């Protein structure tokens, strides 16, 4: 695979995050380069999800700086991350249960829609044309993820693996430049995992989307990621290419326990 | 057999996204509208208009308002009747104090006033959710009713805050007969129901539902929670406000603040629970169920009692009526917790496949 990895687009410097007396993250620095697949791994409770939440503005670190495309980022709210083209999926599926697959994925394009509610109520002006234009884009995502047959199904009725795929679809609909995936393969069987890997690699390959993912399946992580960050107890203990990380003493200790 | 979509192919997204994608639905709705606008005025009696049809339509509209807020945006509210009161008193005051203002403009202004009040009482929703929010909206219920009795200016210094609605005159035509009032209410409700349907199928509605189903995910997608929730409060209160104005002008003629009690708020809440939370059709079904069933029982129970030779007094009949009403509510909620609208939807799905099970 010959892909171009670009410059650093996200640079985190000395990030510390506390919840009261609990230190979730301590002095963590790493960066993400354009078009790469960057994995964050670590044992349970290492602070991986907190890390993603810091990146897209759900949590606000007490210390440290975040540079997005070379500019320092001020405190931001989650919806601003969407405007900066950062999309994400969640560890526990966070789909909108009462809505159909199509509507769920349409919400991913919300920030791109300009019509206001009066136009919507009267179905007038931009309301209709926008709806159709975005439907076309959403159908492309649906085709890409091979979920045409369930587009009108309420997501609550779908099996777990498909729900995960719809959630990826919702994130992709925003045409993000950076995609954060929180355990995209948790709880899946081998076949579903293979599908998901294929989709992640395709997204990266076809759209050039930068991907930051958290995953516990080491086989998957080592296979698909370009660089890996390892966290343990909120501290960074390893960073580098999969081969490097695999042979890192500290990482082995964290995963297998110190006594071995 | 009649209800099939086989052979109705959609070749454009526009065709797939129209309001009623199935042809039979479109025909059915047109027939229903034709009956409502032409058939009913010819056939129904005065009693039907003023005691059944007009209140049914007005409560459907109020239920629509509450359903937008509770069913679509997921914000529980117990202040519906209060927002209706704001609408009723606002329409009265606009008619009274603004020289030559057309009645329909008064109704719209009444809706807007209610929307403003709704936004004010919607502010707590930014911090609290669920039952706690319901209690916060309860404040609206009591505060607004108190305000209307406390400040005599609002009811033009009438005793105990009773207002008598002015005549409804549009372009020189006086809507003073029950039939004409019915047609006016029907027209307004139809237009507003259509607007509500459009709202909930557009990205405004999707934003509301996203906030309802999973607010963290909604904000990560780029939905701003505060404007979305407040818009839901505003639109919902607008609907309730217009319903309140119609309630005063087209149904009762004169209203007092205490008429818009907590009881009424609960009644409307029950309508959407029975009819279907998060369904436009459900508002109409729920309103019909809650309003018409007692009347229906009133008519049939004495006859049934006589049939079996039971010596029922009037008091017993009315107690039994309440009993049966309660039992039916429980029955429907157990059979289908998502309301009558969901039952209707299941029936339609079954019909599409009939006579095959799958």
């Amino acid at each position: 695979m010959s892909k171009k990895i670009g410059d650093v687009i996200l640079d985190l410097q000395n990030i510390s995050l506390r919840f009261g007396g609990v230190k979730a993250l301590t002095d963590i620095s790493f960066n993400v380069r354009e078009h790469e697949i960057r994995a964050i791994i670590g044992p349970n409770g290492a602070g991986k999800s907190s890390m993603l939440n810091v990146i897209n503005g759900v949590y606000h670190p007490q210390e440290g700086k975040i540079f997005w495309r070379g500019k320092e980022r001020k405190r931001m709210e989650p919806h601003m991350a969407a405007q900066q083209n950062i999309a994400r999926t969640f560890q526990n599926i966070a789909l909108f249960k009462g809505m159909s697959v199509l509507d769920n994925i349409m919400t991913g394009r919300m920030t791109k829609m300009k019509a206001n509610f009066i136009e919507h109520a009267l179905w007038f002006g931009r309301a209709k044309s926008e709806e159709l234009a975005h439907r076309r884009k959403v159908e492309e995502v649906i085709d890409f993820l091979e979920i045409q047959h369930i587009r009108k199904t309420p997501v609550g009725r779908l099996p777990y693996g498909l729900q995960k795929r719809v959630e990826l679809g919702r994130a992709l609909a925003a045409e993000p430049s950076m995609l954060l995936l929180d355990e995209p393969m948790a709880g899946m069987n081998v076949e579903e995992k293979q599908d998901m890997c294929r989709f992640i690699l395709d997204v990266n390959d076809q759209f050039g989307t930068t991907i930051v993912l958290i995953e516990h399946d080491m086989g998957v992580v080592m296979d698909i990621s370009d660089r890996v960050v390892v966290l343990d107890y909120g501290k960074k203990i390893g960073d580098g290419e999969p081969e490097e990380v695999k042979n890192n003493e500290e990482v082995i200790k964290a995963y297998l326990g110190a006594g071995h | 057999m009649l209800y099939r979509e086989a052979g109705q192919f959609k070749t454009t997204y526009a065709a797939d996204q129209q309001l009623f994608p199935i042809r039979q639905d479109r025909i059915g709705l047109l027939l229903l509208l034709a009956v409502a606008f032409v058939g009913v005025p010819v056939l129904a009696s005065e009693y039907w208009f003023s005691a059944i049809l007009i209140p049914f339509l007005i409560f459907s509209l109020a239920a629509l308002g509450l359903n937008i807020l509770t069913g679509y945006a997921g914000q529980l509210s117990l202040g519906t009747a209060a927002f209706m009161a704001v609408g009723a008193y606002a329409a009265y005051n606009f008619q009274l104090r603004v020289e030559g203002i057309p009645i329909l403009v008064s109704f719209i202004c009444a809706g807007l006033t209610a929307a403003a009040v709704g936004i004010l009482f919607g502010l707590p929703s930014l911090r609290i959710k669920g039952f706690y929010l319901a209690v916060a909206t309860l404040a609206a219920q009591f505060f607004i009713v108190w305000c209307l009795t406390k400040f005599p200016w609002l009811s033009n210094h009438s005793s105990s805050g009773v207002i008598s609605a002015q005549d409804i005159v549009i372009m020189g035509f006086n809507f003073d007969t029950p039939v004409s009032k019915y047609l006016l209410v029907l027209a307004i409700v139809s237009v507003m129901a259509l607007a509500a349907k459009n709202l909930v199928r557009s990205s405004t509605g999707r934003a509301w539902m996203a906030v309802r189903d999973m607010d963290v995910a909604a904000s990560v997608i780029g939905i701003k929670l505060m404007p979305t929730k407040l818009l839901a409060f505003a639109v919902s209160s607008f609907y309730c406000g217009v319903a309140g104005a119609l309630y005063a002008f087209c149904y009762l003629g004169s209203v007092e603040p205490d008429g818009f009690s907590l009881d009424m708020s609960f009644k409307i809440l029950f309508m959407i629970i029975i009819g279907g939370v998060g369904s436009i059709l459900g508002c109409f079904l729920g309103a019909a169920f809650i309003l018409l069933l007692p009347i229906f029982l009133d008519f049939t129970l004495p006859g049934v009692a006589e049939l079996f030779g039971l010596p029922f007094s009037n008091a017993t009949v009315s107690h039994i009526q309440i009993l049966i009403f309660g039992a039916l509510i429980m029955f429907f909620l157990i059979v289908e917790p998502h309301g009558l609208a969901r039952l209707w939807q299941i029936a339609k799905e079954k019909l599409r496949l009939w006579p095959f099970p799958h």
Side-chain angles (χ1 to χ4, degrees):
Chain A
M1 195 162 55
S2 64
K3 64 175 178 186
K4 259 205 184 136
I5 291 189
D7 302 330
V8 170
I9 54 168
L10 178 72
D11 193 12
L12 298 129
Q13 294 179 358
N14 312 98
I15 299 291
S16 293
L17 175 73
R18 287 183 303 273
F19 298 107
V22 182
K23 286 182 180 165
L25 301 170
T26 316
D27 197 25
I28 291 183
S29 307
F30 70 93
N31 59 38
V32 181
R33 293 181 305 207
E34 198 155 19
H35 309 311
E36 77 173 339
I37 299 183
R38 187 76 149 121
I40 303 176
I41 63 171
N44 288 329
K48 305 182 296 294
S49 292
S50 297
M51 201 66 240
L52 280 200
N53 282 331
V54 165
I55 294 177
N56 79 337
V58 177
Y59 293 159
H60 308 286
Q62 280 82 7
E63 284 155 42
K65 288 178 179 170
I66 302 172
F67 292 89
W68 171 251
R69 293 192 187 280
K71 261 195 269 177
E72 187 176 353
R73 205 165 76 179
K74 298 282 175 299
R75 180 191 168 92
M76 73 167 191
E77 300 303 322
H79 67 84
M80 290 154 78
Q83 285 156 4
Q84 294 182 352
N85 265 333
I86 302 178
R88 78 170 284 183
T89 67
F90 290 81
Q91 185 173 1
N92 310 313
I93 297 171
L95 285 171
F96 308 127
K97 292 246 164 8
M99 297 156 74
S100 67
V101 169
L102 186 62
D103 278 342
N104 263 281
I105 301 179
M106 283 292 266
T107 58
R109 300 195 64 81
M110 200 72 85
T111 46
K112 300 186 185 340
M113 294 184 151
K114 299 284 172 289
N116 61 35
F117 75 98
I118 293 177
E119 287 170 281
H120 287 149
L122 304 175
W123 207 245
F124 158 82
R126 288 175 295 186
K128 190 177 176 189
S129 57
E130 251 185 16
E131 191 81 7
L132 296 180
H134 288 282
R135 171 79 188 266
R136 189 170 293 279
K137 285 282 180 194
V138 164
E139 288 293 340
E140 282 169 20
V141 173
I142 289 177
D143 283 347
F144 179 80
L145 293 175
E146 299 159 16
I147 47 177
Q148 297 92 334
H149 59 296
I150 50 164
R151 61 160 81 78
K152 294 278 173 76
T153 315
V155 290
R157 288 196 208 162
L158 295 176
Y160 184 82
L162 279 179
Q163 290 197 11
K164 281 269 187 192
R165 211 188 281 184
V166 174
E167 205 188 1
L168 177 63
R170 187 179 64 187
L172 284 181
E175 297 175 61
S177 57
M178 180 182 272
L179 186 57
L180 313 176
L181 304 173
D182 198 345
E183 301 200 16
M185 282 158 248
M188 286 187 169
N189 62 32
V190 177
E191 198 184 335
E192 287 170 331
K193 275 187 190 179
Q194 284 171 346
D195 280 342
M196 190 52 100
C197 279
R198 183 162 56 87
F199 291 131
I200 293 173
L201 288 172
D202 281 352
V203 169
N204 181 248
D205 207 36
Q206 289 186 18
F207 309 132
T209 312
T210 311
I211 292 172
V212 178
L213 91 159
I214 295 175
E215 186 45 57
H216 278 300
D217 187 320
M218 284 308 131
V220 169
V221 169
M222 297 303 165
D223 274 354
I224 68 172
S225 46
D226 296 306
R227 288 191 301 158
V228 181
V229 177
V230 192
L231 303 183
D232 190 23
Y233 292 113
K235 295 196 178 77
K236 185 169 99 170
I237 58 171
D239 188 355
E241 304 202 343
E243 280 306 313
E244 260 174 76
V245 169
K246 224 187 274 183
N247 301 320
N248 181 326
E249 279 297 313
E250 252 188 292
V251 175
I252 296 170
K253 230 195 276 176
Y255 266 90
L256 297 179
H260 295 272
Chain B
M1 291 295 263
L2 285 171
Y3 196 76
R4 287 283 163 79
E5 54 180 322
Q8 302 180 23
F9 299 109
K10 309 283 181 336
T11 48
T12 60
Y13 293 134
D16 193 41
Q17 285 184 320
Q18 58 188 322
L19 269 178
F20 298 97
I22 300 172
R23 191 189 301 135
Q24 284 87 336
D25 280 347
R26 291 198 292 275
I27 296 170
L29 187 81
L30 286 178
L31 277 179
L32 188 69
L33 283 178
V35 169
F37 273 102
V38 183
V40 171
V42 175
L43 296 173
S45 68
E46 199 145 298
Y47 168 80
W48 266 81
F49 286 121
S50 44
I52 297 172
L53 292 171
I54 291 176
F56 159 68
L57 286 171
I58 291 172
F59 275 101
S60 299
L61 187 60
L64 206 55
L66 181 61
N67 220 339
I68 285 172
L69 184 63
T70 305
Y72 286 97
Q75 312 297 310
L76 199 51
S77 163
L78 286 178
T80 323
F83 298 131
M84 285 177 73
V86 172
Y89 277 78
Y92 169 76
N93 277 302
F94 277 113
Q95 276 297 17
L96 183 75
R97 292 170 208 283
V98 182
E99 197 67 41
I101 186 172
I103 186 87
L104 287 178
V105 176
S106 295
F107 286 170
I108 292 171
C109 290
L112 292 176
T113 313
V117 176
I119 289 175
L120 191 67
F121 283 97
L123 287 173
S125 73
L126 308 178
R127 300 302 297 240
I128 51 180
K129 293 178 192 170
F131 290 119
Y132 304 95
L133 179 63
V135 174
T137 55
L138 205 56
Q141 176 66 48
F142 290 116
F143 179 76
I144 289 169
V145 171
W146 174 81
C147 251
L148 293 175
T149 18
K150 188 71 186 169
F151 298 103
W153 183 84
L154 292 171
S155 54
N156 203 22
H157 305 277
S158 80
S159 63
S160 71
V162 180
I163 54 167
S164 298
Q166 295 90 340
D167 288 343
I168 307 167
V169 182
I170 299 173
M171 317 253 278
F173 181 81
N174 196 347
F175 287 75
D176 52 357
T177 61
V179 189
S180 60
K181 282 181 180 168
Y182 162 78
L183 285 173
L184 177 68
V185 173
L186 181 65
I188 293 175
V189 171
S190 305
V191 168
M192 288 180 77
L194 177 67
K197 189 87 188 163
N198 277 337
L199 269 178
V200 299
R201 69 168 165 153
S202 65
S203 67
T204 303
R206 281 194 294 267
W208 286 339
M209 289 186 270
V211 170
R212 170 194 71 188
D213 286 346
M214 186 76 70
D215 53 357
V216 179
S219 68
V220 166
I221 281 171
I223 297 170
K224 294 182 192 116
L225 295 185
M226 187 174 82
T228 308
K229 284 181 181 176
L230 290 184
L231 179 64
F233 267 97
V235 173
S236 158
S237 306
F238 181 86
Y239 274 72
C240 293
V242 173
L246 293 177
Y247 186 75
F249 279 74
C250 296
Y251 176 40
L252 290 183
S254 70
V255 289
E256 54 174 343
D258 289 334
F260 298 96
S261 61
L262 184 58
D263 264 5
M264 194 158 139
S265 291
F266 270 118
K267 201 168 165 184
I268 297 165
L269 183 63
F270 294 153
M271 283 175 193
I272 70 165
I273 291 174
I274 297 267
V277 172
S279 153
I280 301 288
L281 174 69
C283 304
F284 291 92
L285 296 179
F289 186 92
I290 298 273
L291 289 179
L292 301 189
L293 197 65
I295 298 173
F296 175 75
L297 290 175
D298 247 358
F299 272 116
T300 50
L301 271 185
V304 174
E306 217 164 287
L307 204 66
F308 291 98
L310 299 171
F312 281 173
S313 68
N314 276 344
T316 326
V317 168
S318 71
H319 286 157
I320 291 177
Q321 181 207 319
I322 293 171
L323 241 138
I324 295 179
F325 188 53
L328 276 175
I329 289 178
M330 279 196 272
F331 172 77
F332 274 112
L333 288 184
I334 290 169
V335 171
E336 185 48 70
H338 297 290
L340 297 174
R342 182 90 184 97
L343 277 179
W344 171 245
Q345 199 188 339
I346 291 171
K348 283 208 305 190
E349 276 171 26
K350 289 251 190 303
L351 261 178
R352 275 153 76 173
L353 298 173
W354 189 84
F356 306 106
H358 303 293

